[in-house]
Amino acid sequence: MGMSGFEYAPAPESRAVVDLDPSYGLFIGGEFTDGTGSAFKSISPATEEVLAEVHEASAADVDRAVAAARHAYERVWRDMPGRDRGKYLFRIARLIQERSRELAVLESLDNGKPIREARDVDLPLVAAHFFYYAGWADKLAYAGHGTQPLGVAGQIIPWNFPLLMLAWKIAPALACGNTVVLKPAETTPLTALLFAQICQQAELPPGVVNIVTGAGATGRALVEHPGVDKIAFTGSTEVGRSIARAVAGTPKRVTLELGGKAANIVFDDAPIDQAVEGVVNGIFFNQGHVCCAGSRLLVQEPVYDEVLASLKRRLATLRVGDPLDKNTDIGAINSAEQLARIRELSDIGEAEGAERWSPPCELPDRGFWFPPTLFTGVSQSHRIAREEIFGPVLSILTFRTPAEAVEKANNTPYGLSAGVWTEKGSRMLWMADRLRAGVVWANTFNRFDPTSPFGGYKESGYGREGGRHGLGAYLR
Ligand code: NAP
Ligand code: MG
């Protein structure tokens, strides 16, 4: 999509920095080994080209990975002094920085996210998480969560931030002296495998990190494995519930980071241009594939027309297309299934009577794409207001009073985050006290930092990741 008046010149990032193998094994005990299950392909959602083939880990492969993790835990990692564990984590963090361009390009290829975001947001945060938890490794006695690791952690992550979710899981687990078996999402396994190569390069003791690729069945085998001491899961509320059921009555510990449906609340005294930028960032960052995306916009009535006009103007400037083009704002939807879900819920929104709007926007012929979309005339009972769309779709509602804003914002089974836009500090605090959300952002949105804990209320899960709190999930 171009603004009229000039010829658009693309600025593609080079793929040459990424050196993909045609086929990857499982990373178990420090080596890539063939799986006993079938192979599957990871594609680029922007072009549908096959990037590489990976192995689907069977229950027997998961068993080998857990055994390798157990061995490394008991023989090496558990009793290694914290300062030495920290050195490995610092080394990994530095290698991530050194290889960040390669990692960002591969993340963009495999996931479909814009290279600008992978390069400027995901990778810096990934490195920052490893640096941050490296610093804790020899200071656990001061964190207030005990100093004893749990053992072997089984970790299962989704496709929306493949490397960042890996970092959130692996960095604190290792810093605390646990070893891990991680299962990346079926559609985005490649950067986890490149991370495995970084573990080799860092000479991390074999078995401390194991990566088993596969689909839901591989995840289930990991959850049910009796040799796993802890399950850490990020993904949908539905799968999270099934995991909670599977570990109930076992000694396994569990943390769950699940879905969200955050409200971005704009008061009439807010600086409108700044708020609109925040709203756009809140829902269109990463194609809206963000668990804490600000998918419900609540606007105070006096500024509704102004905010809506300004949003539409801004959306018309968003560039949708090639994720590797450095100018791209919105990349590809991660998979055909996800695209079908976004389309289905959006069609339901229209059928329920909400009004749908997208800027004129040319979408590529191949790959999976969805234009930035607004819904107005949304009521709280509409499914687009209640269910997580997990795509570039914003529902707009209005409110009159702060109490009404709180009531509408909290009227959801989820509670991961919220954004409040107002000039008044006192109102900000009043709102933050009443919003049932793990994070409340004040005049900003989607701001992350490894020192700051993140997690949900209600059906958004339990446990916190990040910060000193995040250590508590991996210590007894
Ligand atoms: P998902 O279907 O729950 O998948 C998440 C992970 O679990 C994937 O690795 C998946 O494998 C695996 N899995 C699927 N079924 C399983 C089972 N029965 N047992 C064990 N593991 C299983 O979620 P998704 O649709 O990929 O991701 C989107 C959802 O994640 C959204 O609802 C979003 O809100 C949530 N999310 C939450 C956070 C947070 O921090 N709270 C962050 C990101 C995303 P496959 O890849 O093969 O399906
Ligand atoms: Mg892929």
Side-chain angles (χ1 to χ4, degrees):
M1 171 189 25
M3 284 178 287
S4 55
F6 67 90
E7 278 293 295
Y8 177 62
E13 173 66 89
S14 167
R15 293 175 54 152
V17 63
V18 171
D19 190 13
L20 278 171
D21 292 347
S23 175
Y24 288 86
L26 310 169
F27 186 64
I28 296 176
E31 281 170 13
F32 286 92
T33 77
D34 285 348
T36 56
S38 50
F40 63 100
K41 294 171 171 51
S42 195
I43 64 165
S44 152
T47 59
E48 297 175 60
E49 79 172 279
V50 173
L51 296 171
E53 198 176 75
V54 294
H55 284 214
E56 176 164 9
S58 66
D61 298 326
V62 169
D63 187 54
R64 271 196 300 141
V66 172
R70 173 67 54 196
H71 187 84
Y73 176 69
E74 287 173 0
R75 300 291 174 84
V76 188
W77 201 244
R78 175 184 61 191
D79 302 318
M80 184 184 282
R83 64 174 180 281
D84 292 334
R85 285 202 307 269
K87 281 181 202 160
Y88 284 104
L89 288 168
F90 278 120
R91 201 182 287 169
I92 289 171
R94 283 194 302 271
L95 287 168
I96 288 168
Q97 285 187 318
E98 277 168 27
R99 299 179 68 174
S100 68
R101 183 144 164 261
E102 182 185 355
L103 288 161
V105 171
L106 184 56
E107 193 79 315
S108 174
L109 274 171
D110 200 19
N111 168 280
K113 66 175 67 202
I115 184 66
R116 188 168 54 81
E117 293 178 0
R119 181 194 64 195
D120 298 348
V121 182
D122 297 49
L123 263 298
L125 279 173
V126 169
H129 269 270
F130 276 97
F131 277 116
Y132 176 76
Y133 282 110
W136 272 115
D138 63 351
K139 302 174 195 71
L140 297 176
Y142 305 100
H145 297 291
T147 55
Q148 291 305 308
L150 302 176
V152 175
Q155 307 183 314
I156 300 171
I157 57 174
W159 45 263
N160 56 346
F161 292 94
L163 260 182
L164 185 58
M165 291 300 107
L166 173 151
W168 281 27
K169 296 278 179 284
I170 292 184
L174 263 48
C176 293
N178 305 274
T179 57
V180 307
V181 178
L182 177 122
K183 190 199 90 70
E186 183 182 8
T187 56
T188 54
L190 299 182
T191 46
L193 296 165
L194 184 47
F195 176 81
Q197 293 173 350
I198 287 176
C199 292
Q200 289 178 324
Q201 199 183 348
E203 294 174 16
L204 187 71
V208 171
V209 167
N210 305 275
I211 311 276
V212 290
T213 47
T218 303
R220 207 171 316 121
L222 186 54
V223 169
E224 289 170 0
H225 197 287
V228 166
D229 299 296
K230 187 217 161 88
I231 292 291
F233 171 80
T234 296
S236 61
T237 297
E238 185 194 351
V239 174
R241 274 203 200 100
S242 81
I243 290 176
R245 274 194 297 271
V247 302
T250 75
K252 287 175 200 169
R253 300 245 306 237
V254 61
T255 41
L256 303 172
E257 299 284 354
L258 309 175
K261 188 76 191 156
N264 228 332
I265 304 164
V266 178
F267 283 96
D268 61 5
D269 65 336
I272 299 298
D273 289 347
Q274 189 187 327
V276 164
E277 278 308 300
V279 169
V280 168
N281 166 38
I283 184 63
F284 299 112
F285 172 64
N286 205 41
Q287 296 73 245
H289 301 327
V290 183
C291 48
C292 55
S295 55
R296 291 179 300 147
L297 172 61
L298 305 181
V299 187
Q300 202 165 18
E301 280 183 2
V303 289
Y304 175 74
D305 291 339
E306 185 186 350
V307 168
L308 184 62
S310 181
L311 259 177
K312 287 184 171 176
R313 221 171 23 243
R314 182 66 179 87
L315 257 57
T317 68
L318 292 177
R319 193 174 286 285
V320 184
D322 179 9
L324 282 183
D325 186 330
K326 290 175 229 170
N327 293 318
T328 291
D329 298 302
I330 299 185
I333 300 302
N334 181 251
S335 66
E337 297 78 59
Q338 188 58 26
L339 179 58
R341 261 182 246 145
I342 297 169
R343 283 192 177 141
E344 190 197 342
L345 258 178
S346 301
D347 291 347
I348 288 171
E350 242 179 327
E352 286 182 327
E355 194 184 320
R356 174 180 186 157
W357 181 89
S358 291
C361 178
E362 264 174 50
L363 301 177
D365 298 330
R366 311 239 9 222
F368 316 127
W369 306 93
F370 198 84
T373 299
L374 302 180
F375 274 101
T376 52
V378 179
S379 79
Q380 295 196 77
S381 60
H382 284 164
R383 278 180 63 189
I384 49 170
R386 308 202 61 77
E387 290 173 35
E388 189 174 41
I389 297 188
F390 224 59
V393 181
L394 178 66
S395 301
I396 310 180
L397 298 90
T398 59
F399 68 93
R400 295 197 180 99
T401 63
E404 189 187 345
V406 168
E407 193 272 318
K408 285 187 169 168
N410 287 342
N411 185 7
T412 161
Y414 299 111
L416 212 43
S417 62
V420 181
W421 299 82
T422 173
E423 278 288 287
K424 285 195 190 69
S426 57
R427 176 180 286 160
M428 193 68 83
L429 296 172
W430 190 90
M431 294 292 291
D433 270 350
R434 287 161 181 79
L435 290 169
R436 303 258 303 141
V439 186
V440 178
W441 281 297
N443 290 324
T444 185
F445 206 90
N446 275 344
R447 196 164 285 271
F448 294 98
D449 188 281
T451 63
S452 171
F454 182 85
Y457 278 53
K458 301 189 272 187
E459 287 178 29
S460 292
Y462 41 85
R464 293 290 177 267
E465 291 185 291
R468 187 172 60 79
H469 293 71
L471 295 165
Y474 291 99
L475 291 168
R476 71 173 97 242

